[in-house]
């Protein structure tokens, strides 16, 4: 039996908190409103572009692996709705925990875009 829509949506709560709410609180607390490191415009453009590419790749990996959990594993990443089958295809064939890799890639991309030390600490 496939997990219900409510269970699927709730399972996105943790990644949303880690990738959106906490970084936004860090940025807001440090009063950082604009992207960039405050270096030359060329270096800011390079860091922002690299960060955006990393965020897109990280979120894509995260969504792909969560989708595999739901379709192949017949569950969610939430502990109250675990998978019923072991997922061994896609990214899971090549790495141990691609969900965490997607989160870390996204966090590093956010740190490259906005540049506060707090995001690097949160990444670590």
């Amino acid at each position: 039996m496939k997990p219900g829509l409510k269970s699927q949506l709730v399972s996105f709560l943790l990644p949303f908190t880690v990738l959106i709410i906490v970084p936004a609180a860090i940025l807001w607390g440090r009063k950082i409103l604009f992207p960039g490191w405050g270096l030359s415009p060329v270096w800011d453009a390079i860091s922002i572009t690299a960060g955006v590419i990393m965020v897109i790749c990280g979120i894509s990996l995260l969504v792909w692996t969560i989708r595999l959990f739901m379709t192949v594993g017949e569950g969610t990443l939430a502990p109250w709705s675990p998978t019923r089958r072991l997922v061994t295809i896609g990214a899971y064939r090549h790495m141990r925990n691609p969900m965490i890799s997607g989160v870390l890639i996204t966090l590093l991309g956010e740190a490259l875009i906005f540049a506060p030390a707090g995001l690097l600490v949160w990444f670590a």
Side-chain angles (χ1 to χ4, degrees):
M1 185 169 122
K2 301 243 185 220
L5 180 61
K6 181 180 177 184
S7 180
Q8 291 175 7
L9 290 175
V10 170
S11 71
F12 282 97
L13 186 60
L14 182 59
F16 181 78
T17 302
V18 169
L19 296 175
I20 306 295
I21 294 175
V22 172
I26 291 169
L27 294 173
W28 182 71
R30 305 216 2 120
K31 308 230 183 318
I32 297 173
L33 303 174
F34 301 103
W37 288 68
L39 303 171
S40 72
V42 172
W43 284 110
D44 277 348
I46 290 170
S47 71
I48 291 169
T49 302
V52 168
I53 290 169
M54 289 183 77
V55 167
I56 290 169
C57 291
I59 289 176
S60 297
L61 180 60
L62 185 63
V63 168
W64 180 33
T65 55
I66 291 172
R67 184 179 169 116
L68 284 172
F69 250 46
M70 291 179 190
T71 56
V72 176
E74 298 177 357
T76 67
L77 63 124
W80 54 85
S81 179
T83 57
R84 297 178 192 276
R85 295 180 34 202
L86 180 64
V87 180
T88 58
I89 65 169
Y92 290 97
R93 182 176 297 244
H94 304 288
M95 61 179 72
R96 185 177 178 105
N97 197 335
M99 276 189 221
I100 294 298
S101 298
V103 168
L104 291 175
I105 291 167
T106 303
L107 287 175
L108 187 57
E110 290 174 350
L112 280 174
I113 293 169
F114 291 103
L119 283 182
L120 290 174
V121 170
W122 180 238
F123 164 77

